[in-house]
Amino acid sequence: MKTIVMGAGLAGISAALMLHDAGHRVSIISTGLGGVLLSPGTVDIAGWARTGAPIFDPYAAVDSACSPHPYAVIGVDAVRSGVNWLLEHTELFATPTEHNILVPTGVGAVRPTLTAPKTFHRLEDGQRLLVVGIKQFKDFPAQLIADNLERSPLVNVHARAITIDFPVRENEADSTGTNIARALDTPAGRAQLATALRGQLRAGETVLLPAILGLNPASFADLRAKLDAPVGEVAVPPPSIPGRRLHDELVSQLRKARIDLALNATVVGFTADGERVQTLQARRAGRITSEKVAAVVYAGGGFESGSLSRAVTGEISERVFGLPVQPAPNIFSSYVGVDCAMRPLDASGKPLYTNLHLAGTILGGAEPWAEKSGEGIALGSAWAAASAIQSYVSAPSHPAANDHPASDNQPAPSKPASNGHPASNDHPAPSKPAAKGENR
């Protein structure tokens, strides 16, 4: 039997790859492509305090989180391990420190993040910035961005703005970021942009452009070499090109690992034998199939994906397993209580199903869009879930997961956190680890 991951966002894909790295058989069932395509491509752990002040020590913020925030049960070690796993498995990000950096946004605000794509620019005092708008791209108000950067209380920079003409299609007055990115993936497109910018730069300036500089990460390096000047991307509204680069990289790793990614498929039911989920029923290609499972990682998102819903009477429900959802003043912060192995809990605090683990937005209890914690929650909970599964599901001795050898140089998640409730007679519960909190 294999582990089934429900959801193809950052939490779901990461959990699947973590389990594969440890030699497990795993597949993914997902209705759609997940939220990575909409993300700005940064790795956010904790960016803003409730007071509105920027956070510069994100791991300290994780360690001090209180229930019902998911960090209270995920713990700082799992968050750090999950983030490090992502950074080690891709080459898209700048090498981070333990502290947040500052990056500009698409309206000229300044925000903290642990790390950003190598194509982004890290803001520091004293920098001189040239913000370059593209006439045919309406989602990057260059003058507004420059003006707001100069006013920012978080960093002292000098910024000016220009707008250049960069038609990617004849007579097209309004191009999408994806169309421009595809044009810049061609040598002719990069040469055209470089020509438009020559003579505009002043000594010591860094060029800031919208984050649409090619779907291929190599396109950015070539453009920077042509300009012979520092260049940085600034995130813009979706569709997100940096998010697309990360998504494409993760999906490429799924293909290399031969992990089945079943899209346009929806889990519609399950069977359980006491405390264990035995099978999942999924609707795909016009029929419903049933598959036995060793474990389940539920990373299907929250309200935005339909995993959670609110009735006209005000009751909030989870659609597949009937998990109890605790309401919150902000409906989108409603949460499912879990232990530190990410297993959902009943009213008495015991796991409902010992082989069901939650990861990502389905956990609730936070406002990741406001506090900038989305990637930290996704990666930390994925690591905790994958680690928990390893404690009671044996990996095939040979060959490795999904019928081909697993890489020997990929680090596997450590053995997990658990609250000590027995999984079943056949699968002894993981030993109890050091963890920040028992349950949430």
Side-chain angles (χ1 to χ4, degrees), residues 267-304:
V267 175
V268 295
F270 74 104
T271 62
D273 180 9
E275 296 181 341
R276 291 184 58 79
V277 175
Q278 296 293 319
T279 66
L280 291 182
Q281 284 84 50
R283 180 184 293 115
R284 58 180 115 190
R287 62 193 181 98
I288 294 178
T289 60
S290 180
E291 186 166 2
K292 293 182 178 180
V293 297
V296 178
V297 178
Y298 190 1
F303 287 97
E304 73 285 354

Side-chain angles (χ1 to χ4, degrees), residues 132-289:
V132 179
I134 296 174
K135 181 180 178 182
Q136 290 78 11
F137 184 65
K138 310 302 184 186
D139 288 335
F140 193 74
Q143 190 62 60
L144 174 68
I145 292 170
D147 291 345
N148 285 341
L149 285 173
E150 287 211 326
R151 297 188 186 105
S152 174
L154 298 181
V155 67
N156 181 19
V157 298
H158 174 72
R160 66 185 183 95
I162 63 171
T163 299
I164 61 173
D165 189 42
F166 184 67
V168 297
R169 294 177 180 174
E170 187 176 357
N171 298 323
E172 185 174 62
D174 189 358
S175 294
T176 67
T178 303
N179 285 342
I180 296 175
R182 288 181 176 137
L184 291 173
D185 277 334
T186 66
R190 295 192 294 274
Q192 179 185 351
L193 182 60
T195 299
L197 285 172
R198 285 198 184 100
Q200 303 279 8
L201 277 72
R202 298 172 184 170
E205 284 186 327
T206 295
V207 180
L208 296 186
L209 285 154
I212 53 176
L213 303 184
L215 296 171
N216 185 343
S219 299
F220 175 85
D222 182 64
L223 178 62
R224 182 173 55 188
K226 281 180 166 57
L227 291 174
D228 193 26
V231 178
E233 289 186 308
V234 178
V236 295
S240 167
I241 300 304
R244 169 78 176 269
R245 294 173 195 144
L246 176 58
H247 175 268
D248 289 351
E249 171 62 25
L250 293 174
V251 171
S252 174
Q253 292 190 27
L254 290 178
R255 293 193 181 110
K256 291 177 182 176
R258 299 180 186 175
I259 295 174
D260 180 39
L261 172 58
L263 297 175
N264 299 315
T266 304
V267 175
V268 295
F270 74 104
T271 62
D273 180 9
E275 296 181 341
R276 291 184 58 79
V277 175
Q278 296 293 319
T279 66
L280 291 182
Q281 284 84 50
R283 180 184 293 115
R284 58 180 115 190
R287 62 193 181 98
I288 294 178
T289 60

Side-chain angles (χ1 to χ4, degrees), residues 410-422:
Q410 307 262 9
S414 59
K415 295 292 183 180
S418 163
N419 71 353
H421 291 284

